[in-house]
Amino acid sequence: VQVDWGDGDYGRIAAALAPAADLLVARARVAAGDRVLDVACGTGNAALAAARRGAIVTGVDASAGLVARAARRLGDEGLAADFRTGQAEDLPVGDAEFDVVLSVFGVIFSADPPRAAAELVRVARPDGVIALTAWVPEGAVAAAGGILWGAVSGRRYGRTPWAAPGSLQELLEAAGMRDVAIEEDALAFTGPSPQGWLREQEDHHPVWRAARRTLGDGYAAVHDDMLRVLAEGNEDPCAFRVTSRYWAVRARR
Ligand SMILES: C[S@@+](CC[C@H](N)C(=O)[O-])C[C@H]1O[C@@H](n2cnc3c(N)ncnc32)[C@H](O)[C@@H]1O
């Protein structure tokens, strides 16, 4: 299934990821004057957090609509960044240009992980910081995403080198990173109810929208399966909350 991340209203969905972007920017110790690249920036959560600290920010994303939205978002705060449309596997920036290279649940979507990891290294200055987040494919939200992904692709969700610390470390070291440190963090997805959270994804999330279009009438059964795992994993009896773990990685070129 082909996902157009500019479809739907990804900014609305990405608001849930902003705490992870803020934390990653803090962990990378982004400081005023740092040259920072946000890879697969989407609507610019990390770009915004870095610009608020006075960094000189560039953002790259495959979706032209999302980079335009990111630029508007920073502009609304009187901030600016150089946003470009481009691929994580072939970043439209020069070698060794950045003090800090970030990617919040972004580069993990690349179809060519070794190449995307090598690009992160290429664009970082020697001794520069590379920091990224990657989902742990566990928990009810991952299970729901896995049901959806399995239905459209026939493949198992989360079977990428980014998903486990061993393969992640191997991937990054093979790309040329050193001092790779992997910590575990968690992010809570919340909503009024399991149904309400799922409806929000169906209405606004580009991946859900693409899957739903692809599956047509077959979507109804997939919906019911997802709702079941979301209800089972719900941590809030009065509303909806699911905690999803992720790997927060910090390395050096
Ligand atoms: C889950 S979103 C995360 C967006 C943003 N980093 C955030 O934290 O909100 C994934 C993003 O990766 C982008 N993306 C996916 N594959 C890409 C690729 N190969 N090159 C560049 N961007 C890509 C999508 O357009 C989307 O904006």
Side-chain angles (χ1 to χ4, degrees):
V1 62
Q2 200 62 31
V3 179
D4 169 9
W5 286 84
D7 178 45
D9 186 353
Y10 186 65
R12 185 170 166 147
I13 301 292
L17 307 181
D22 293 345
L23 193 58
L24 196 71
V25 165
R27 280 237 177 86
R29 300 195 195 100
V30 170
D34 280 354
R35 295 158 304 165
V36 173
L37 177 66
D38 183 3
V39 176
C41 62
T43 53
N45 281 335
L48 180 59
R52 281 176 179 156
R53 288 174 168 241
I56 303 155
V57 179
T58 302
V60 172
D61 196 277
S63 163
L66 293 186
V67 294
R69 178 129 182 215
R72 278 201 301 278
R73 220 176 139 204
L74 267 72
D76 287 346
E77 286 197 24
L79 298 167
D82 174 5
F83 285 106
R84 302 177 190 181
T85 305
Q87 298 296 323
E89 301 78 12
D90 189 14
L91 291 168
V93 300
D95 295 352
E97 271 191 32
F98 296 95
D99 301 299
V100 181
V101 179
L102 303 170
S103 191
V104 179
F105 308 116
V107 70
I108 60 167
F109 289 97
S110 168
D112 188 346
R115 183 154 170 196
E119 277 293 270
L120 301 177
V121 175
R122 177 183 70 79
V123 303
R125 68 159 165 78
D127 212 37
V129 171
I130 299 159
L132 60 93
T133 60
W135 292 116
V136 175
E138 287 170 14
V141 165
I147 289 167
L148 190 71
W149 187 243
V152 290
S153 72
R155 282 186 278 141
R156 267 186 66 186
Y157 167 81
R159 304 205 100 190
T160 74
W162 313 95
S167 51
L168 183 49
Q169 176 136 11
E170 213 171 282
L171 172 74
L172 301 183
E173 285 177 353
M177 295 184 209
R178 59 189 178 78
D179 301 339
V180 176
I182 303 176
E183 281 183 74
E184 191 187 306
D185 267 312
L187 201 58
F189 290 96
T190 59
S193 63
Q195 290 87 341
W197 185 85
L198 185 56
R199 165 71 62 83
E200 178 78 6
Q201 312 311 306
E202 291 170 342
D203 287 348
H204 303 294
H205 197 305
V207 174
W208 251 270
R209 290 167 58 92
R212 199 175 176 181
R213 274 195 300 270
T214 303
L215 293 171
D217 291 344
Y219 182 76
V222 173
H223 167 95
D224 292 350
D225 281 353
M226 289 190 290
L227 196 54
R228 183 178 41 76
V229 298
L230 291 168
E232 279 169 12
N234 186 11
E235 298 155 17
D236 183 347
C238 302
F240 177 73
R241 185 182 64 244
V242 165
T243 308
S244 289
R245 298 192 296 133
Y246 66 90
W247 308 117
V249 184
R250 190 176 185 281
R252 286 200 176 272
R253 170 170 176 179

